[in-house]
Amino acid sequence: MPDSTDTDGLTVGQVSARLGVTVRALHHWDEIGLARPSLRTTAGYRLYTAGDLERLHRIVVYREIGLGLDRIQAVLDDSTADVPGALRAQRHQIAERIERLQRLSAGLDRMIDAHERGLLLTAEQQAAIFGPQWNPDGPAQARERYGDTTQWRQYAERSASRTAEEWQAVADEVADLDRALAKAMDAGVTPGSEEANHLVERHREVFASYFPLSRQMQVCLGRMYEADPGFAAHYDGIRPGLATWFRGIVDAAARAHGIDPDTATWQ
């Protein structure tokens, strides 16, 4: 390789800055024979000529579209290489990647909306699924109250991927559970009995459609169902006294698992 004066060509650092490629990458390409500088200074430092720089520009472009270094070397050095074919194949892969990224972007948009709105349903869809008594402002009110909690984030993640049909299935499960609770209370099912404990477990399973519910958290919900006017009105509207009865079976089940309902906290 011919020598050069210090003022000829571009140094590794200058090429790195010009092309946005790390010095380490340039050294690696030199070592594997992909892009070797044509000149050296009298002190032995590498220098890249205009021709070298043109080759490096092509390498950067091919890397940007996803070609591997071996494939790039073949495209650049193999006179028999099918360059258009290689580029068409890469274009196809890029198109597939773009489609995946677009789906990911749409999913992120839904996730953002779910965190901010709770339910990704129109007011008409909500009324059709949850009934005419449903308050369409309820999700916004819930976000204002619980938006900074782990449970709201878990709820939003489920909501982001849930269709109207899937929400309908959740609503049907909740309605079935409400009917089962009312039927059990009418039949005189007592707290602590096998049937009552089964209903408590079923409630936890159904509630997992929103977020995971521990036994202690369920005790706190039982208190709220009885004390909160909105929840109490819902349950007592199904059967007078149902909110209090439900709290009773939840507390009894909690005691059976070593939890004191009077000291249970949201955890």
Side-chain angles (χ1 to χ4, degrees):
M1 182 178 295
D3 287 341
S4 171
T5 67
D6 291 345
T7 58
D8 291 335
L10 294 175
T11 66
V12 173
Q14 289 171 325
V15 171
S16 171
R18 179 172 295 193
L19 297 184
V21 176
T22 66
V23 170
R24 182 177 180 181
L26 291 172
H27 284 166
H28 178 61
W29 297 349
D30 183 2
E31 291 170 1
I32 64 175
L34 177 61
R36 287 177 172 155
S38 299
L39 300 176
R40 287 187 182 271
T41 68
T42 54
Y45 294 109
R46 300 174 178 86
L47 288 177
Y48 291 86
T49 65
D52 297 334
L53 200 61
E54 180 181 348
R55 181 180 176 93
L56 284 168
H57 273 295
R58 296 177 68 191
I59 292 170
V60 170
V61 170
Y62 289 146
R63 277 183 75 220
E64 189 69 24
I65 65 174
L67 287 180
L69 295 182
D70 290 344
R71 189 63 174 149
I72 292 173
Q73 189 146 18
V75 167
L76 293 178
D77 297 337
D78 185 353
S79 60
T80 64
D82 180 9
V83 177
L87 296 179
R88 287 191 186 96
Q90 195 62 27
R91 181 180 62 186
H92 178 70
Q93 292 183 22
I94 290 174
E96 290 181 335
R97 191 182 312 160
I98 290 172
E99 185 177 350
R100 289 195 300 271
L101 290 173
Q102 288 174 336
R103 290 197 299 269
L104 176 60
S105 178
L108 288 172
D109 286 342
R110 284 184 61 83
M111 185 69 76
I112 292 168
D113 285 348
H115 276 277
E116 293 179 343
R117 295 167 45 200
L119 276 175
L120 303 185
L121 300 171
T122 65
E124 291 77 13
Q125 287 175 317
Q126 293 179 45
I129 293 171
F130 303 113
Q133 78 287 351
W134 174 260
N135 177 10
D137 295 327
Q141 294 168 357
R143 182 186 185 278
E144 184 176 350
R145 187 173 180 180
Y146 306 112
D148 59 349
T149 65
T150 298
Q151 287 70 41
W152 178 265
R153 290 190 290 272
Q154 292 168 332
Y155 165 70
E157 289 169 3
R158 287 160 172 75
S159 180
S161 60
R162 191 164 284 161
T163 64
E165 291 75 20
E166 290 169 332
W167 273 119
Q168 183 65 65
V170 171
D172 291 343
E173 286 184 345
V174 171
D176 287 344
L177 175 61
D178 286 347
R179 285 190 290 268
L181 292 171
K183 182 178 179 181
M185 191 185 79
D186 290 343
V189 171
T190 57
S193 65
E194 183 178 352
E195 185 174 353
N197 290 340
H198 173 74
L199 287 169
V200 171
E201 288 305 306
R202 183 177 169 187
H203 174 261
R204 291 180 64 229
E205 292 171 2
V206 169
F207 211 90
S209 298
Y210 304 103
F211 54 80
L213 188 68
S214 69
R215 297 186 189 282
Q216 293 218 38
M217 292 162 64
Q218 189 180 32
V219 169
C220 295
L221 275 184
R223 290 182 203 147
M224 185 171 66
Y225 289 172
E226 183 181 40
D228 182 273
F231 283 109
H234 168 75
Y235 285 102
D236 291 344
I238 299 171
R239 287 292 189 281
L242 184 59
T244 298
W245 179 84
F246 177 73
R247 178 181 178 180
I249 67 171
V250 168
D251 286 356
R255 290 190 188 94
H257 287 86
I259 298 170
D260 182 357
D262 295 330
T263 59
T265 57
W266 188 263
Q267 62 182 23

